[in-house]
PDB file of all heavy atoms in Angstrom:
ATOM      1  N   ASP D 494      22.724 159.326 -37.218  1.00 90.00           N
ATOM      2  CA  ASP D 494      22.184 158.026 -37.497  1.00 90.00           C
ATOM      3  C   ASP D 494      21.191 157.655 -36.246  1.00 90.00           C
ATOM      4  O   ASP D 494      20.111 157.212 -36.525  1.00 90.00           O
ATOM      5  CB  ASP D 494      23.202 156.922 -37.554  1.00 90.00           C
ATOM      6  CG  ASP D 494      23.880 157.022 -39.003  1.00 90.00           C
ATOM      7  OD1 ASP D 494      23.476 157.580 -39.842  1.00 90.00           O
ATOM      8  OD2 ASP D 494      24.959 156.328 -39.086  1.00 90.00           O
ATOM      9  N   GLN D 495      21.656 157.969 -35.029  1.00 92.00           N
ATOM     10  CA  GLN D 495      20.717 157.648 -33.920  1.00 92.00           C
ATOM     11  C   GLN D 495      19.461 158.597 -33.910  1.00 92.00           C
ATOM     12  O   GLN D 495      18.335 158.044 -33.670  1.00 92.00           O
ATOM     13  CB  GLN D 495      21.469 157.973 -32.581  1.00 92.00           C
ATOM     14  CG  GLN D 495      22.511 157.041 -32.246  1.00 92.00           C
ATOM     15  CD  GLN D 495      23.457 157.493 -31.126  1.00 92.00           C
ATOM     16  OE1 GLN D 495      23.482 158.552 -30.854  1.00 92.00           O
ATOM     17  NE2 GLN D 495      24.092 156.519 -30.512  1.00 92.00           N
ATOM     18  N   TYR D 496      19.512 159.764 -34.458  1.00 92.00           N
ATOM     19  CA  TYR D 496      18.375 160.623 -34.570  1.00 92.00           C
ATOM     20  C   TYR D 496      17.532 160.100 -35.668  1.00 92.00           C
ATOM     21  O   TYR D 496      16.227 160.100 -35.522  1.00 92.00           O
ATOM     22  CB  TYR D 496      18.828 161.928 -35.017  1.00 92.00           C
ATOM     23  CG  TYR D 496      17.610 163.000 -34.997  1.00 92.00           C
ATOM     24  CD1 TYR D 496      16.939 163.231 -33.666  1.00 92.00           C
ATOM     25  CD2 TYR D 496      17.278 163.626 -36.153  1.00 92.00           C
ATOM     26  CE1 TYR D 496      15.813 164.104 -33.777  1.00 92.00           C
ATOM     27  CE2 TYR D 496      16.244 164.491 -36.026  1.00 92.00           C
ATOM     28  CZ  TYR D 496      15.485 164.753 -34.921  1.00 92.00           C
ATOM     29  OH  TYR D 496      14.413 165.633 -34.853  1.00 92.00           O
ATOM     30  N   GLU D 497      17.973 159.428 -36.731  1.00 94.00           N
ATOM     31  CA  GLU D 497      17.139 158.862 -37.759  1.00 94.00           C
ATOM     32  C   GLU D 497      16.447 157.672 -37.135  1.00 94.00           C
ATOM     33  O   GLU D 497      15.234 157.501 -37.432  1.00 94.00           O
ATOM     34  CB  GLU D 497      17.957 158.592 -38.993  1.00 94.00           C
ATOM     35  CG  GLU D 497      18.486 159.598 -39.742  1.00 94.00           C
ATOM     36  CD  GLU D 497      17.422 160.540 -40.315  1.00 94.00           C
ATOM     37  OE1 GLU D 497      16.408 160.111 -40.684  1.00 94.00           O
ATOM     38  OE2 GLU D 497      17.531 161.871 -40.205  1.00 94.00           O
ATOM     39  N   ILE D 498      17.135 156.964 -36.374  1.00 95.00           N
ATOM     40  CA  ILE D 498      16.469 155.697 -35.662  1.00 95.00           C
ATOM     41  C   ILE D 498      15.365 156.344 -34.851  1.00 95.00           C
ATOM     42  O   ILE D 498      14.270 155.766 -34.734  1.00 95.00           O
ATOM     43  CB  ILE D 498      17.497 155.011 -34.887  1.00 95.00           C
ATOM     44  CG1 ILE D 498      18.561 154.184 -35.707  1.00 95.00           C
ATOM     45  CG2 ILE D 498      16.781 153.961 -33.944  1.00 95.00           C
ATOM     46  CD1 ILE D 498      19.645 153.553 -35.122  1.00 95.00           C
ATOM     47  N   LEU D 499      15.580 157.314 -33.994  1.00 95.00           N
ATOM     48  CA  LEU D 499      14.561 157.936 -33.050  1.00 95.00           C
ATOM     49  C   LEU D 499      13.425 158.316 -33.943  1.00 95.00           C
ATOM     50  O   LEU D 499      12.277 157.989 -33.467  1.00 95.00           O
ATOM     51  CB  LEU D 499      15.203 159.089 -32.338  1.00 95.00           C
ATOM     52  CG  LEU D 499      14.192 159.876 -31.398  1.00 95.00           C
ATOM     53  CD1 LEU D 499      13.685 159.059 -30.335  1.00 95.00           C
ATOM     54  CD2 LEU D 499      14.879 161.164 -30.900  1.00 95.00           C
ATOM     55  N   ARG D 500      13.496 159.048 -34.993  1.00 93.00           N
ATOM     56  CA  ARG D 500      12.428 159.489 -35.863  1.00 93.00           C
ATOM     57  C   ARG D 500      11.610 158.338 -36.321  1.00 93.00           C
ATOM     58  O   ARG D 500      10.481 158.397 -36.292  1.00 93.00           O
ATOM     59  CB  ARG D 500      12.808 160.259 -36.841  1.00 93.00           C
ATOM     60  CG  ARG D 500      13.428 161.627 -36.411  1.00 93.00           C
ATOM     61  CD  ARG D 500      13.940 162.592 -37.502  1.00 93.00           C
ATOM     62  NE  ARG D 500      13.044 162.690 -38.494  1.00 93.00           N
ATOM     63  CZ  ARG D 500      13.226 163.272 -39.715  1.00 93.00           C
ATOM     64  NH1 ARG D 500      14.510 163.575 -40.023  1.00 93.00           N
ATOM     65  NH2 ARG D 500      12.269 163.416 -40.591  1.00 93.00           N
ATOM     66  N   ALA D 501      12.296 157.265 -36.773  1.00 96.00           N
ATOM     67  CA  ALA D 501      11.532 156.078 -37.363  1.00 96.00           C
ATOM     68  C   ALA D 501      10.841 155.345 -36.110  1.00 96.00           C
ATOM     69  O   ALA D 501       9.627 154.888 -36.309  1.00 96.00           O
ATOM     70  CB  ALA D 501      12.591 155.105 -37.988  1.00 96.00           C
ATOM     71  N   VAL D 502      11.444 155.242 -35.064  1.00 96.00           N
ATOM     72  CA  VAL D 502      10.756 154.527 -33.900  1.00 96.00           C
ATOM     73  C   VAL D 502       9.621 155.376 -33.508  1.00 96.00           C
ATOM     74  O   VAL D 502       8.498 154.779 -33.065  1.00 96.00           O
ATOM     75  CB  VAL D 502      11.861 154.325 -32.779  1.00 96.00           C
ATOM     76  CG1 VAL D 502      11.143 153.982 -31.403  1.00 96.00           C
ATOM     77  CG2 VAL D 502      12.914 153.142 -33.187  1.00 96.00           C
ATOM     78  N   LEU D 503       9.684 156.640 -33.278  1.00 93.00           N
ATOM     79  CA  LEU D 503       8.621 157.540 -32.916  1.00 93.00           C
ATOM     80  C   LEU D 503       7.425 157.454 -33.916  1.00 93.00           C
ATOM     81  O   LEU D 503       6.279 157.439 -33.449  1.00 93.00           O
ATOM     82  CB  LEU D 503       9.141 158.974 -32.710  1.00 93.00           C
ATOM     83  CG  LEU D 503       9.807 159.296 -31.456  1.00 93.00           C
ATOM     84  CD1 LEU D 503      10.311 160.743 -31.529  1.00 93.00           C
ATOM     85  CD2 LEU D 503       8.804 159.085 -30.229  1.00 93.00           C
ATOM     86  N   ASP D 504       7.741 157.424 -35.218  1.00 93.00           N
ATOM     87  CA  ASP D 504       6.601 157.290 -36.107  1.00 93.00           C
ATOM     88  C   ASP D 504       5.814 155.977 -35.879  1.00 93.00           C
ATOM     89  O   ASP D 504       4.584 155.986 -35.898  1.00 93.00           O
ATOM     90  CB  ASP D 504       7.206 157.207 -37.593  1.00 93.00           C
ATOM     91  CG  ASP D 504       7.666 158.652 -38.147  1.00 93.00           C
ATOM     92  OD1 ASP D 504       7.323 159.628 -37.494  1.00 93.00           O
ATOM     93  OD2 ASP D 504       8.431 158.563 -39.100  1.00 93.00           O
ATOM     94  N   GLU D 505       6.591 154.950 -35.628  1.00 95.00           N
ATOM     95  CA  GLU D 505       5.785 153.588 -35.407  1.00 95.00           C
ATOM     96  C   GLU D 505       5.108 153.750 -34.104  1.00 95.00           C
ATOM     97  O   GLU D 505       3.899 153.060 -34.065  1.00 95.00           O
ATOM     98  CB  GLU D 505       6.876 152.492 -35.488  1.00 95.00           C
ATOM     99  CG  GLU D 505       7.379 152.159 -36.924  1.00 95.00           C
ATOM    100  CD  GLU D 505       8.327 150.989 -36.962  1.00 95.00           C
ATOM    101  OE1 GLU D 505       8.239 150.072 -35.999  1.00 95.00           O
ATOM    102  OE2 GLU D 505       9.275 151.056 -37.543  1.00 95.00           O
ATOM    103  N   ALA D 506       5.746 154.291 -33.067  1.00 94.00           N
ATOM    104  CA  ALA D 506       5.247 154.288 -31.796  1.00 94.00           C
ATOM    105  C   ALA D 506       3.952 155.160 -31.690  1.00 94.00           C
ATOM    106  O   ALA D 506       3.069 154.731 -31.042  1.00 94.00           O
ATOM    107  CB  ALA D 506       6.163 154.762 -30.830  1.00 94.00           C
ATOM    108  N   ARG D 507       3.993 156.270 -32.477  1.00 91.00           N
ATOM    109  CA  ARG D 507       2.846 157.073 -32.463  1.00 91.00           C
ATOM    110  C   ARG D 507       1.581 156.328 -32.945  1.00 91.00           C
ATOM    111  O   ARG D 507       0.429 156.507 -32.569  1.00 91.00           O
ATOM    112  CB  ARG D 507       3.159 158.214 -33.202  1.00 91.00           C
ATOM    113  CG  ARG D 507       3.933 159.319 -32.509  1.00 91.00           C
ATOM    114  CD  ARG D 507       4.286 160.603 -33.128  1.00 91.00           C
ATOM    115  NE  ARG D 507       5.009 161.456 -32.451  1.00 91.00           N
ATOM    116  CZ  ARG D 507       6.236 161.909 -32.920  1.00 91.00           C
ATOM    117  NH1 ARG D 507       6.682 161.663 -34.127  1.00 91.00           N
ATOM    118  NH2 ARG D 507       6.946 162.829 -32.238  1.00 91.00           N
ATOM    119  N   ALA D 508       1.802 155.567 -34.059  1.00 93.00           N
ATOM    120  CA  ALA D 508       0.757 154.816 -34.728  1.00 93.00           C
ATOM    121  C   ALA D 508       0.174 153.787 -33.730  1.00 93.00           C
ATOM    122  O   ALA D 508      -1.050 153.622 -33.635  1.00 93.00           O
ATOM    123  CB  ALA D 508       1.126 154.168 -35.945  1.00 93.00           C
ATOM    124  N   VAL D 509       1.145 153.180 -33.032  1.00 94.00           N
ATOM    125  CA  VAL D 509       0.728 152.028 -32.152  1.00 94.00           C
ATOM    126  C   VAL D 509      -0.037 152.685 -30.805  1.00 94.00           C
ATOM    127  O   VAL D 509      -1.013 152.058 -30.455  1.00 94.00           O
ATOM    128  CB  VAL D 509       1.953 151.211 -31.658  1.00 94.00           C
ATOM    129  CG1 VAL D 509       1.612 150.369 -30.501  1.00 94.00           C
ATOM    130  CG2 VAL D 509       2.423 150.404 -32.790  1.00 94.00           C
ATOM    131  N   ARG D 510       0.388 153.868 -30.441  1.00 92.00           N
ATOM    132  CA  ARG D 510      -0.282 154.543 -29.364  1.00 92.00           C
ATOM    133  C   ARG D 510      -1.729 154.779 -29.712  1.00 92.00           C
ATOM    134  O   ARG D 510      -2.568 154.684 -28.706  1.00 92.00           O
ATOM    135  CB  ARG D 510       0.558 155.796 -29.103  1.00 92.00           C
ATOM    136  CG  ARG D 510      -0.114 156.587 -27.768  1.00 92.00           C
ATOM    137  CD  ARG D 510       0.706 157.878 -27.601  1.00 92.00           C
ATOM    138  NE  ARG D 510      -0.034 158.464 -26.503  1.00 92.00           N
ATOM    139  CZ  ARG D 510       0.656 159.258 -25.589  1.00 92.00           C
ATOM    140  NH1 ARG D 510       1.884 159.547 -25.786  1.00 92.00           N
ATOM    141  NH2 ARG D 510      -0.055 159.812 -24.778  1.00 92.00           N
ATOM    142  N   LEU D 511      -2.008 155.308 -30.916  1.00 92.00           N
ATOM    143  CA  LEU D 511      -3.280 155.519 -31.327  1.00 92.00           C
ATOM    144  C   LEU D 511      -4.293 154.272 -31.241  1.00 92.00           C
ATOM    145  O   LEU D 511      -5.437 154.453 -30.796  1.00 92.00           O
ATOM    146  CB  LEU D 511      -3.339 156.124 -32.535  1.00 92.00           C
ATOM    147  CG  LEU D 511      -2.912 157.627 -32.729  1.00 92.00           C
ATOM    148  CD1 LEU D 511      -2.716 158.114 -34.324  1.00 92.00           C
ATOM    149  CD2 LEU D 511      -3.573 158.540 -31.917  1.00 92.00           C
ATOM    150  N   THR D 512      -3.700 153.192 -31.750  1.00 95.00           N
ATOM    151  CA  THR D 512      -4.567 152.012 -31.740  1.00 95.00           C
ATOM    152  C   THR D 512      -4.500 151.107 -30.493  1.00 95.00           C
ATOM    153  O   THR D 512      -5.548 150.527 -30.097  1.00 95.00           O
ATOM    154  CB  THR D 512      -4.125 151.071 -32.993  1.00 95.00           C
ATOM    155  OG1 THR D 512      -2.758 150.747 -32.773  1.00 95.00           O
ATOM    156  CG2 THR D 512      -4.326 151.850 -34.310  1.00 95.00           C
ATOM    157  N   ASP D 513      -3.341 151.069 -29.890  1.00 95.00           N
ATOM    158  CA  ASP D 513      -3.277 150.104 -28.803  1.00 95.00           C
ATOM    159  C   ASP D 513      -2.913 150.716 -27.430  1.00 95.00           C
ATOM    160  O   ASP D 513      -2.826 149.994 -26.486  1.00 95.00           O
ATOM    161  CB  ASP D 513      -2.103 149.071 -29.106  1.00 95.00           C
ATOM    162  CG  ASP D 513      -2.408 148.306 -30.304  1.00 95.00           C
ATOM    163  OD1 ASP D 513      -3.596 148.074 -30.651  1.00 95.00           O
ATOM    164  OD2 ASP D 513      -1.435 147.927 -30.983  1.00 95.00           O
ATOM    165  N   GLY D 514      -2.728 152.098 -27.297  1.00 92.00           N
ATOM    166  CA  GLY D 514      -2.349 152.759 -26.101  1.00 92.00           C
ATOM    167  C   GLY D 514      -0.975 152.960 -25.878  1.00 92.00           C
ATOM    168  O   GLY D 514      -0.054 152.502 -26.513  1.00 92.00           O
ATOM    169  N   PRO D 515      -0.673 153.737 -24.772  1.00 90.00           N
ATOM    170  CA  PRO D 515       0.688 154.248 -24.403  1.00 90.00           C
ATOM    171  C   PRO D 515       1.647 152.985 -24.079  1.00 90.00           C
ATOM    172  O   PRO D 515       2.767 153.067 -24.367  1.00 90.00           O
ATOM    173  CB  PRO D 515       0.536 155.204 -23.281  1.00 90.00           C
ATOM    174  CG  PRO D 515      -0.867 155.081 -22.839  1.00 90.00           C
ATOM    175  CD  PRO D 515      -1.644 154.357 -23.964  1.00 90.00           C
ATOM    176  N   GLU D 516       1.091 152.060 -23.330  1.00 93.00           N
ATOM    177  CA  GLU D 516       1.964 150.926 -22.863  1.00 93.00           C
ATOM    178  C   GLU D 516       2.465 150.097 -24.054  1.00 93.00           C
ATOM    179  O   GLU D 516       3.733 149.788 -24.117  1.00 93.00           O
ATOM    180  CB  GLU D 516       1.179 149.894 -21.917  1.00 93.00           C
ATOM    181  CG  GLU D 516       0.862 150.506 -20.657  1.00 93.00           C
ATOM    182  CD  GLU D 516      -0.416 151.403 -20.606  1.00 93.00           C
ATOM    183  OE1 GLU D 516      -1.205 151.197 -21.741  1.00 93.00           O
ATOM    184  OE2 GLU D 516      -0.619 152.206 -19.835  1.00 93.00           O
ATOM    185  N   ALA D 517       1.744 149.907 -25.147  1.00 95.00           N
ATOM    186  CA  ALA D 517       2.059 149.157 -26.329  1.00 95.00           C
ATOM    187  C   ALA D 517       3.089 150.062 -27.108  1.00 95.00           C
ATOM    188  O   ALA D 517       4.041 149.504 -27.530  1.00 95.00           O
ATOM    189  CB  ALA D 517       0.962 148.828 -27.133  1.00 95.00           C
ATOM    190  N   ALA D 518       2.807 151.353 -27.045  1.00 94.00           N
ATOM    191  CA  ALA D 518       3.849 152.327 -27.825  1.00 94.00           C
ATOM    192  C   ALA D 518       5.213 152.123 -27.121  1.00 94.00           C
ATOM    193  O   ALA D 518       6.252 152.159 -27.748  1.00 94.00           O
ATOM    194  CB  ALA D 518       3.255 153.762 -27.815  1.00 94.00           C
ATOM    195  N   HIS D 519       5.204 152.218 -25.778  1.00 93.00           N
ATOM    196  CA  HIS D 519       6.537 152.101 -25.044  1.00 93.00           C
ATOM    197  C   HIS D 519       7.188 150.838 -25.210  1.00 93.00           C
ATOM    198  O   HIS D 519       8.494 150.710 -25.387  1.00 93.00           O
ATOM    199  CB  HIS D 519       6.338 152.449 -23.663  1.00 93.00           C
ATOM    200  CG  HIS D 519       6.051 153.860 -23.396  1.00 93.00           C
ATOM    201  ND1 HIS D 519       7.012 154.903 -23.466  1.00 93.00           N
ATOM    202  CD2 HIS D 519       4.907 154.533 -22.837  1.00 93.00           C
ATOM    203  CE1 HIS D 519       6.563 156.073 -23.180  1.00 93.00           C
ATOM    204  NE2 HIS D 519       5.266 155.829 -22.804  1.00 93.00           N
TER     205      HIS D 519
END
Side-chain angles (χ1 to χ4, degrees):
D494 286 346
Q495 289 169 335
Y496 187 65
E497 292 302 318
I498 293 171
L499 174 63
R500 290 177 56 193
V502 167
L503 280 173
D504 287 345
E505 291 180 31
R507 286 180 180 125
V509 167
R510 182 181 176 153
L511 290 174
T512 59
D513 300 329
E516 293 82 18
H519 286 290

